[in-house]
C-alpha cells in the first residue's frame, strides 16, 4: 500500500530524474479550483485526465506498458505499426495506400491546373518548377506489415490520381515510389531504416541529386552537383532513422539495422538557390553534408507552406516573405510531398503564389 | 472519481488508507465518512447536499419508527421520499420526453423541460437507504444511534457508486464495531481482491469494450453476421468483467477497511437457465428485489397467474432500475419472460437435455439480452439482432492483444464448469493465507497493480459501465 505513494512523492518532490517520453502530446486543459468550477463539476472533469499526465514516473509507466505489449503481442499503442522482422511503419503512410484519405477528383484536377498555372508564371520568370513525390515505406514493403493491413492497393488513391493527372498535364515529376521500386530489386528493404518512416541516406542523396540535376539542366551556368555513384551499408547516424522507434517509447528500444548511404561525387560550381515547399522528406536532406556543399544558405524551405526553416532550423512564419520575390531569385522551385501528405498537396502554395503574382 | 483512474489509485487510495490505519479506532468512522463525502462530492458536488438532507430525513424518520403510534406513516414517508428522489433524478427526463412525443403525435404543443442531471450511484444508494428503513421496520435490526454511522453506511465510498448493494443487515454490526477485522490478513486479502478487480477492468473489460464499440459503431448496412456475433460476445464479456471487476474492487476495499460486503457475482455464464443466471449475476440486486419487492408483492403465496405476473413485474422494474430507456425496459421484460417460461415448462425440458445444451441456450439468450442493453435505441438493437441472424458470414481481423483478452475472458467466464474450480476460487479469495500464500498474493498484487497503473497511464481515462446506473 505504501508503494502506491511513491509516484505521488515523485510528483511532489521529483526525487528521481526520469527521461521524458518521445513524441508530442497535448496536455489536457485544467481549470483553476474555484467555487463555480467545483460546483459545476468542470474542475473535477478536467482535473482527472490532467492528473494522468502529471503522475510521478509517468514516462516510466508508459514505457513499461509499451514494452509489455511489445513483448507479449508485438503491438504498439500509438500510430506506429510494428511489422515483420522489426520493420516499423507510421499508420498514416498505410492509410493513403488503403485509400482512406482520398480527395475528390475535382480537387485533384483543380490542384493540377493550379500547378500548371504556377509553372507557366515561373517560366515567365525563367524559373523551373519540379514536383518530387517522396518514397512511401508502407507502399514499397506492404508485405512486411501485419496481416490485418491488407496487401492490395485500394483504387482509386491519391498517389495514382496525382501521378496520372500530373503526367497528363506534362508537369515535371520525380516519383521516388517508382525509383525505389526499381532499386528494391538490388537493395530490398534497406532503402528505408527499419526503425524510421523516412528514406535512408541513399534516398536522400538521390533526391538531392535529382533536384540539383534538374536545376542544372534548366539553368545556363553550372551548379555544384552531388552525383550518386553507388551505395554502401553503414551504421545509422541519422536522426530520422529512429523516428518511429523513439515514438514507440520502449524501455529497450528496437535495434536499428545498418542502412544504405550513397557514395557521392561532388562537382564544383555555384551553390544552388532552391525554393522548396514540402513535407519532412525534404527536411531530411538537412542531415547530409552534401546538402550544405551544394545548396546555398540563401535558399528557402517552407515546411507545409506554413513555416520557413533555414539551415540552422530557425523558424519563421511564411507570411513574412514574398513567395514571388523568393522564386525570382531561385534556380528552381520544388514541391516535395510523400504519399501520406498528398491529401494536403500542393499545400496551397500555387494559389498563394498566383495571388501575389 | 473512478477506481480505475490513477487519481484514485495513486492519490486518494494510499492517502485514505494511510490516515485510516494510523488514526485511533474511535476516529476511523469519522475519517471514512469525511473521505467518502469528498469522494462522492468529486462526482456530484451539488447533489451531495441533497443526499445529506435525504440521509438526515431517513435517520429521523427511522429513529421514530419504534416510538411512533403509526410507524407505517413514517415508513411510507421514508420510502416515498427515497423513491421520489430516484424517480425525479433518474426518470423525469424519460417520462417527459415520452410524454412530449405523445403530445406531439396528438398534435399538441410539447412541454418545456429543463433536463435533470443524473447523480452518480443514485440507484444503488437509494436501494441501500430503503433497506435500512425496511430492516428496522421489520425488526431485523435496531436503528443506528448516531447520524454519523448512518451517513457512513450510505456514503461508504467503496460501494457508493456501483454497488454491491450492501443491505443494512449485512454490515450493521461492522459499522459499530469492526476493530478485530482491521488486521493484516484482511488488508492483504482486500488489496489482493482489489488488484484482481482492477485487472479484470483494465486488462480485459477495457480491451473488449473498445472492440465492442468498434463493432457496434459499424453502420448496419456494412455489418456482417460474424462481426455482429463477435461484437455481441465482446460486449457480453466486457460487461461481466467490467461490473464484476468493480464489485471485486469494492469488496476488496471494504475488506481493507474491516467490512464484509456481500458477493455480487458467482460465475454467471455457467448458468443453465435464466433463473440460475440471476442467482449468479448481480446477486446483491437479485436478493434485494426478492426480499424487498417480490416478497412484498406476495412472494410465492399467491395464485399461479399472479406469481408469473409478479415475477415478470420484478424484472421489468429491474430493467427500469438499470436505466431510463426503452432498451433497459425491454431487457428486463425479456429476462422476466424467460423466468416465467422456465417456471412454466422450460426448466422441466432443460432437465431432460444434456447439461451443456441448456448452458449454451442460456448463454445465447443472455447475449441477445445484452444487445438490447448495449444498443443506443430499440431500433438499433433490432437492426443489430437482424445482422446476427442474417447468416451473411465474413472475415474478422483481430489484433493479438484483443484475441488474448477475449480468450482469457472466455476462460475466466467458463472455468467454473471444471470440477472444484468454485471451491478453489473460494479458498483463494476468502481463506486466511499462510506465509507462502501471503507472499505469493503480495507479489501477484504488486505485479498486477504496476501493470494496471502503467496501462491506465498510457491509455487515459475509462469510466465503468455501471456508473450510469
Amino acid at each position: 500500500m505504501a508503494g502506491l505513494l511513491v509516484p505521488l512523492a515523485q510528483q511532489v518532490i521529483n526525487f528521481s530524474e526520469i527521461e521524458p517520453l518521445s513524441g508530442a502530446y497535448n496536455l489536457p486543459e485544467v481549470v483553476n479550483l474555484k467555487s463555480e468550477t467545483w460546483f459545476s463539476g468542470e474542475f473535477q472533469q478536467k482535473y482527472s485526465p490532467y492528473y494522468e499526465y502529471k503522475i510521478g514516473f509517468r514516462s516510466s509507466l508508459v514505457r513499461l506498458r509499451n514494452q509489455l505489449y511489445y513483448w507479449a503481442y508485438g503491438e504498439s499503442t500509438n500510430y506506429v505499426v510494428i511489422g515483420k522482422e522489426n520493420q516499423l511503419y507510421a499508420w498514416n503512410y498505410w492509410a493513403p495506400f488503403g485509400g482512406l484519405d482520398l480527395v475528390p477528383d475535382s480537387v485533384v484536377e483543380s490542384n493540377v491546373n493550379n500547378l500548371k498555372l504556377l509553372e507557366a508564371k515561373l517560366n515567365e520568370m525563367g524559373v523551373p518548377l519540379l514536383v518530387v513525390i517522396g518514397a512511401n515505406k508502407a507502399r514499397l514493403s506492404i508485405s512486411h506489415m501485419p496481416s490485418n493491413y491488407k496487401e492490395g492497393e485500394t483504387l482509386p488513391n491519391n498517389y495514382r490520381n496525382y501521378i496520372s493527372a500530373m503526367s497528363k498535364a506534362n508537369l515535371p515529376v520525380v516519383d521516388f515510389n517508382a525509383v525505389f521500386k526499381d532499386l528494391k530489386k538490388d537493395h530490398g528493404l534497406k532503402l528505408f531504416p527499419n526503425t524510421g518512416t523516412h528514406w535512408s541516406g541513399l534516398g536522400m542523396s538521390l533526391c538531392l541529386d535529382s533536384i540539383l540535376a534538374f536545376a542544372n539542366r534548366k539553368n545556363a551556368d553550372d551548379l555544384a552537383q552531388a552525383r550518386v555513384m553507388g551505395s554502401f551499408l553503414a551504421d545509422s547516424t541519422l536522426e530520422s532513422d529512429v523516428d518511429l522507434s523513439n515514438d514507440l517509447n520502449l524501455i529497450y528500444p528496437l535495434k536499428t539495422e545498418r542502412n544504405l548511404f550513397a557514395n557521392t561525387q561532388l562537382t564544383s560550381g555555384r551553390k544552388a538557390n532552391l525554393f522548396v515547399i514540402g513535407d519532412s522528406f525534404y527536411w531530411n536532406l538537412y542531415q547530409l553534408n552534401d546538402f550544405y556543399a551544394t545548396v546555398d544558405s540563401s535558399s528557402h524551405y517552407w515546411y507545409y507552406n506554413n513555416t520557413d526553416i533555414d539551415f540552422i532550423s530557425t523558424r519563421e512564419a511564411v507570411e513574412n516573405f514574398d513567395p514571388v520575390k523568393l522564386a525570382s531569385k531561385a534556380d528552381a522551385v520544388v514541391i516535395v510531398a510523400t504519399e501520406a501528405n498528398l491529401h494536403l498537396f500542393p499545400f496551397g502554395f500555387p494559389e498563394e503564389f498566383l495571388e501575389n503574382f | 472519481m473512478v477506481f480505475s483512474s490513477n487519481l484514485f489509485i495513486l492519490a486518494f487510495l494510499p492517502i485514505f488508507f494511510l490516515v485510516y490505519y494510523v488514526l485511533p479506532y474511535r476516529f476511523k468512522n469519522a475519517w471514512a465518512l469525511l473521505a467518502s463525502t469528498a469522494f462522492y462530492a468529486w462526482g456530484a458536488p451539488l447533489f451531495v447536499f441533497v443526499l445529506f438532507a435525504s440521509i438526515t430525513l431517513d435517520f429521523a424518520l427511522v429513529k421514530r419508527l419504534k416510538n411512533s403510534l403509526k410507524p407505517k406513516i413514517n415508513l411510507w414517508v421514508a420510502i416515498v421520499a427515497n423513491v421520489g428522489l430516484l424517480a425525479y433524478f433518474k426518470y423525469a427526463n424519460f417520462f417527459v420526453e415520452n410524454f412530449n412525443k405523445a403530445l406531439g403525435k396528438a398534435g399538441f404543443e410539447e412541454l418545456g423541460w429543463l433536463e435533470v442531471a443524473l447523480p452518480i450511484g443514485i440507484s444503488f444508494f437509494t436501494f441501500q437507504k430503503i433497506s435500512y428503513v425496511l430492516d428496522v421496520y421489520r425488526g431485523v435490526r435496531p436503528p443506528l444511534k448516531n447520524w454519523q454511522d448512518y451517513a457512513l453506511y450510505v456514503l461508504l465510498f467503496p460501494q457508493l457508486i456501483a454497488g454491491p448493494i450492501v443491505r443494512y443487515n449485512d454490515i450493521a454490526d461492522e459499522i459499530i464495531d469492526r476493530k478485530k477485522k482491521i488486521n493484516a490478513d484482511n488488508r492483504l486479502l482486500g488489496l489482493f481482491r482489489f488488484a484482481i478487480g482492477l485487472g479484470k477492468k483494465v486488462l480485459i473489460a477495457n480491451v473488449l469494450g473498445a472492440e465492442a464499440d468498434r463493432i457496434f459503431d459499424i453502420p448496419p448496412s456494412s455489418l456482417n453476421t460474424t462481426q455482429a456475433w463477435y461484437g455481441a460476445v465482446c460486449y457480453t464479456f466486457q460487461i461481466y468483467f467490467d461490473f464484476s471487476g468493480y464489485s471485486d474492487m469494492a469488496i476488496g476495499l471494504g475488506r481493507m477497511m474491516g467490512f464484509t460486503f456481500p458477493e455480487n457475482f458467482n460465475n454467471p455464464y455457467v448458468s443453465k437457465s435464466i433463473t440460475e443466471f440471476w442467482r449468479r449475476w448481480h446477486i446483491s440486486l437479485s436478493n434485494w428485489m426478492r426480499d424487498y419487492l417480490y416478497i412484498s408483492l406476495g412472494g410465492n403465496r399467491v395464485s399461479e397467474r399472479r406469481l408469473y405476473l409478479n415475477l415478470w413485474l420484478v424484472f421489468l422494474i429491474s430493467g427500469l432500475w438499470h436505466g431510463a430507456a426503452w432498451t433497459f425496459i425491454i431487457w428486463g421484460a425479456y429476462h422476466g419472460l424467460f423466468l416465467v417460461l422456465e417456471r412454466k415448462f422450460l426448466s422441466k425440458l432443460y432437465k431432460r437435455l444434456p447439461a451443456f445444451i441448456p448452458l449454451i441456450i442460456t448463454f445465447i439468450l443472455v447475449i441477445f439480452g445484452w444487445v438490447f442493453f448495449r444498443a443506443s435505441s430499440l431500433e438499433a438493437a433490432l437492426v443489430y439482432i437482424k445482422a446476427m441472424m442474417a447468416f451473411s458470414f465474413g472475415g474478422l481481423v483481430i489484433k493479438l492483444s484483443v484475441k488474448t483478452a477475449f480468450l482469457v475472458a472466455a476462460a475466466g467466464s467458463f472455468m467454473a464448469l471444471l470440477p472444484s474450480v468454485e471451491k478453489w476460487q473460494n479458498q483463494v479469495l476468502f481463506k486466511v493465507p499462510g506465509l507462502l500464500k501471503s507472499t505469493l498474493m503480495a507479489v501477484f498484487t504488486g505485479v498486477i497493480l504496476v501493470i494496471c497503473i502503467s496501462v491506465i497511464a498510457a491509455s487515459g481515462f475509462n469510466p465503468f459501465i455501471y456508473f450510469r446506473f
Side-chain angles (χ1 to χ4, degrees):
Chain A
M1 178 57 66
L4 292 176
L5 281 169
V6 176
L8 187 63
Q10 165 71 8
Q11 185 187 337
V12 176
I13 56 178
N14 199 22
F15 61 84
S16 174
E17 193 73 30
I18 303 294
E19 191 189 339
L21 293 171
S22 299
Y25 63 88
N26 293 322
L27 192 67
E29 189 194 351
V30 68
V31 293
N32 290 333
L33 177 59
K34 290 186 282 189
S35 62
E36 58 264 39
T37 57
W38 173 265
F39 286 114
S40 68
E42 189 190 1
F43 173 79
Q44 297 91 313
Q45 201 179 11
K46 289 185 171 166
Y47 189 80
S48 294
Y50 170 81
Y51 187 82
E52 295 291 346
Y53 283 84
K54 299 304 284 182
I55 57 169
F57 298 111
R58 178 173 185 270
S59 60
S60 306
L61 289 165
V62 171
R63 282 180 202 281
L64 172 67
R65 186 254 197 237
N66 293 349
Q67 189 69 54
L68 292 174
Y69 263 64
Y70 174 70
W71 277 336
Y73 310 121
E75 290 173 9
S76 87
T77 55
N78 54 19
Y79 73 99
V80 180
V81 178
I82 301 172
K84 294 163 195 166
E85 297 168 25
N86 278 345
Q87 287 291 336
L88 302 183
Y89 298 88
W91 185 88
N92 59 324
Y93 283 72
W94 172 79
F97 180 78
L100 295 180
D101 61 354
L102 188 69
V103 293
D105 288 347
S106 56
V107 174
V108 173
E109 193 184 331
S110 156
N111 282 336
V112 172
N113 286 341
N114 285 337
L115 282 168
K116 273 310 278 183
L117 289 171
L118 172 69
E119 186 191 34
K121 296 291 180 193
L122 288 171
N123 282 345
E124 283 174 26
M125 297 158 66
V127 180
L129 170 72
L130 175 68
V131 174
V132 173
I133 302 295
N136 180 3
K137 183 177 179 182
R139 170 174 288 279
L140 288 152
S141 59
I142 188 78
S143 59
H144 274 66
M145 291 191 79
S147 51
N148 50 328
Y149 291 85
K150 62 176 183 177
E151 290 196 15
E153 179 179 12
T154 302
L155 291 172
N157 59 53
N158 295 335
Y159 168 70
R160 295 284 173 212
N161 289 353
Y162 269 114
I163 289 291
S164 161
M166 289 191 291
S167 166
K168 272 184 205 157
N170 217 16
L171 278 165
V173 177
V174 181
D175 173 16
F176 274 95
N177 285 318
V179 174
F180 271 41
K181 201 175 167 188
D182 289 338
L183 291 173
K184 200 180 160 186
K185 288 162 200 152
D186 296 325
H187 300 296
L189 292 178
K190 295 288 177 193
L191 291 162
F192 295 94
N194 66 312
T195 50
T197 193
H198 295 95
W199 38 28
S200 62
L202 175 64
M204 295 172 201
S205 294
L206 285 168
C207 177
L208 180 64
D209 188 357
S210 304
I211 293 170
L212 292 173
F214 175 80
N216 208 30
R217 275 201 305 278
K218 300 284 180 178
N219 284 281
D221 52 351
D222 285 340
L223 295 173
Q225 302 282 293
R227 309 307 305 264
V228 175
M229 309 304 287
S231 63
F232 62 95
L233 276 171
D235 286 337
S236 263
T237 50
L238 306 178
E239 216 175 293
S240 59
D241 288 347
V242 291
D243 51 8
L244 291 182
S245 57
N246 281 346
D247 286 356
L248 275 180
N249 284 308
L250 297 176
I251 297 170
Y252 304 107
L254 289 193
K255 188 174 174 279
T256 301
E257 290 163 13
R258 302 183 94 199
N259 280 310
L260 278 173
F261 289 84
N263 281 315
T264 55
Q265 188 179 56
L266 284 169
T267 63
S268 58
R270 180 172 63 84
K271 287 184 182 179
N273 181 326
L274 301 175
F275 182 18
V276 181
I277 301 91
D279 58 21
S280 55
F281 274 66
Y282 182 77
W283 202 350
N284 289 165
L285 271 56
Y286 280 37
Q287 299 171 101
L288 299 175
N289 288 334
D290 289 345
F291 178 79
Y292 300 98
T294 54
V295 180
D296 195 82
S297 59
S298 61
S299 296
H300 283 267
Y301 163 46
W302 284 10
Y303 184 56
Y304 289 95
N305 196 34
N306 284 326
T307 313
D308 183 281
I309 300 174
D310 71 10
F311 277 21
I312 51 167
S313 292
T314 309
R315 297 161 197 220
E316 195 172 342
V318 297
E319 287 74 21
N320 297 340
F321 300 91
D322 176 358
V324 179
K325 207 170 160 186
L326 296 184
S328 69
K329 291 178 188 166
D331 293 305
V333 170
V334 187
I335 300 179
V336 180
T338 192
E339 195 171 351
N341 293 314
L342 284 179
H343 64 287
L344 303 170
F345 179 78
F347 309 111
F349 178 75
E351 294 90 325
E352 285 172 25
F353 182 92
L354 294 168
E355 269 174 32
N356 279 281
F357 194 76
Chain B
M1 203 182 303
V2 292
F3 292 167
S4 62
S5 70
N6 281 326
L7 181 61
F8 179 82
I9 301 167
L10 299 177
F12 184 91
L13 185 67
I15 292 171
F16 169 75
F17 276 108
L18 195 74
V19 177
Y20 186 77
Y21 292 138
V22 167
L23 277 177
Y25 180 77
R26 64 181 187 279
F27 297 124
K28 286 191 197 300
N29 273 5
W31 170 242
L33 177 59
L34 188 70
S36 296
T37 306
F39 177 86
Y40 191 69
W42 183 266
L46 280 173
F47 188 79
V48 72
F49 297 109
V50 180
L51 184 54
F52 270 118
S54 163
I55 285 169
T56 309
L57 180 68
D58 289 342
F59 184 74
L61 288 168
V62 170
K63 206 172 179 184
R64 283 188 211 149
L65 265 178
K66 288 282 167 193
N67 308 327
S68 168
L69 290 174
K70 291 181 179 171
K72 262 199 170 169
I73 294 178
N74 281 19
L75 170 77
W76 279 108
V77 171
I79 290 177
V80 167
N82 278 299
V83 174
L85 266 187
L86 180 66
Y88 175 72
F89 282 101
K90 188 157 181 170
Y91 303 107
N93 293 338
F94 176 68
F95 284 115
V96 171
E97 188 186 309
N98 281 282
F99 187 64
N100 271 341
K101 268 186 196 167
L103 281 179
K105 276 187 183 168
F108 294 105
E109 201 177 317
E110 292 184 1
L111 294 175
W113 174 254
L114 207 59
E115 279 220 352
V116 182
L118 176 70
I120 49 173
I122 189 167
S123 308
F124 289 93
F125 62 69
T126 300
F127 273 26
Q128 294 199 177
K129 288 160 93 242
I130 292 173
S131 90
Y132 174 70
V133 178
L134 283 170
D135 281 356
V136 174
Y137 175 77
R138 289 174 177 177
V140 180
R141 285 277 170 183
L144 287 163
K145 287 177 186 157
N146 297 322
W147 175 90
Q148 177 197 311
D149 288 343
Y150 178 59
L152 178 63
Y153 161 65
V154 176
L155 282 162
L156 197 58
F157 77 85
Q159 47 74 46
L160 172 64
I161 286 171
I165 299 168
V166 181
R167 295 187 296 180
Y168 173 54
N169 188 31
D170 294 330
I171 57 164
D173 292 336
E174 288 166 348
I175 285 183
I176 296 159
D177 184 12
R178 59 183 181 285
K179 205 169 186 176
K180 285 181 186 165
K181 291 191 172 177
I182 303 173
N183 56 42
D185 287 336
N186 279 338
R187 276 202 289 273
L188 176 63
L189 282 168
L191 191 60
F192 174 70
R193 189 75 184 266
F194 178 82
I196 289 176
L198 188 64
K200 279 174 153 180
K201 162 71 181 162
V202 173
L203 305 178
I204 298 173
N206 283 357
V207 177
L208 297 179
E211 199 70 346
D213 289 349
R214 184 174 73 83
I215 301 289
F216 273 83
D217 285 346
I218 294 175
S221 55
S222 314
L223 192 67
N224 67 43
T225 302
T226 318
Q227 288 170 323
W229 273 97
Y230 172 64
V233 176
C234 278
Y235 184 69
T236 299
F237 290 142
Q238 181 207 354
I239 194 165
Y240 172 47
F241 281 84
D242 188 284
F243 190 23
S244 72
Y246 189 93
S247 294
D248 285 332
M249 285 187 261
I251 292 167
L253 291 171
R255 188 156 193 165
M256 289 168 76
M257 293 170 76
F259 290 102
T260 313
F261 293 163
E263 289 300 314
N264 218 13
F265 290 89
N266 180 18
N267 304 294
Y269 293 149
V270 300
S271 304
K272 296 179 188 74
S273 65
I274 294 293
T275 310
E276 187 185 351
F277 176 78
W278 279 101
R279 282 201 289 265
R280 291 173 175 272
W281 177 275
H282 204 171
I283 299 165
S284 64
L285 175 69
S286 305
N287 289 348
W288 195 99
M289 287 286 187
R290 181 195 62 208
D291 294 345
Y292 298 112
L293 186 60
Y294 181 69
I295 289 175
S296 302
L297 288 170
N300 293 341
R301 292 169 297 174
V302 288
S303 68
E304 194 182 0
R305 191 175 286 186
R306 180 67 196 271
L307 180 110
Y308 294 148
L309 181 70
N310 286 351
L311 260 180
W312 190 73
L313 262 179
V314 166
F315 274 82
L316 198 72
I317 292 169
S318 167
L320 195 61
W321 177 88
H322 280 84
W326 287 108
T327 46
F328 294 117
I329 296 170
I330 296 294
W331 173 76
Y334 169 84
H335 275 269
L337 175 70
F338 278 97
L339 238 85
V340 170
L341 292 177
E342 282 171 5
R343 282 240 178 180
K344 191 89 181 146
F345 69 95
L346 266 180
S347 292
K348 286 176 198 155
L349 181 68
Y350 285 164
K351 278 177 190 161
R352 290 187 206 154
L353 299 169
F356 73 91
I357 294 179
L359 185 133
I360 292 170
I361 292 172
T362 304
F363 188 59
I364 290 171
L365 289 176
V366 168
I367 292 172
F368 277 110
W370 288 137
V371 173
F372 285 102
F373 203 89
R374 167 65 179 76
S376 53
S377 66
L378 213 49
E379 295 76 27
L382 293 173
V383 168
Y384 195 92
I385 286 173
K386 202 175 157 192
M388 288 170 79
M389 310 287 271
F391 292 95
S392 61
F393 297 99
L396 265 181
V397 178
I398 309 169
K399 282 164 82 176
L400 183 60
S401 54
V402 179
K403 264 185 212 165
T404 309
F406 188 92
L407 291 174
V408 171
S413 298
F414 295 107
M415 67 179 173
L417 290 171
L418 297 171
S420 307
V421 166
E422 287 192 55
K423 199 176 151 192
W424 171 79
Q425 284 174 332
N426 288 337
Q427 272 190 343
V428 171
L429 295 178
F430 307 116
K431 206 177 162 196
V432 174
L435 185 64
L436 178 67
K437 194 180 152 192
S438 298
T439 312
L440 290 174
M441 272 182 159
V443 171
F444 174 86
T445 303
V447 169
I448 291 289
L449 282 177
V450 170
I451 292 174
C452 289
I453 290 166
S454 67
V455 170
I456 297 166
S459 56
F461 205 57
N462 280 295
F464 288 87
I465 294 178
Y466 261 69
F467 262 42
R468 59 193 162 121
F469 307 137

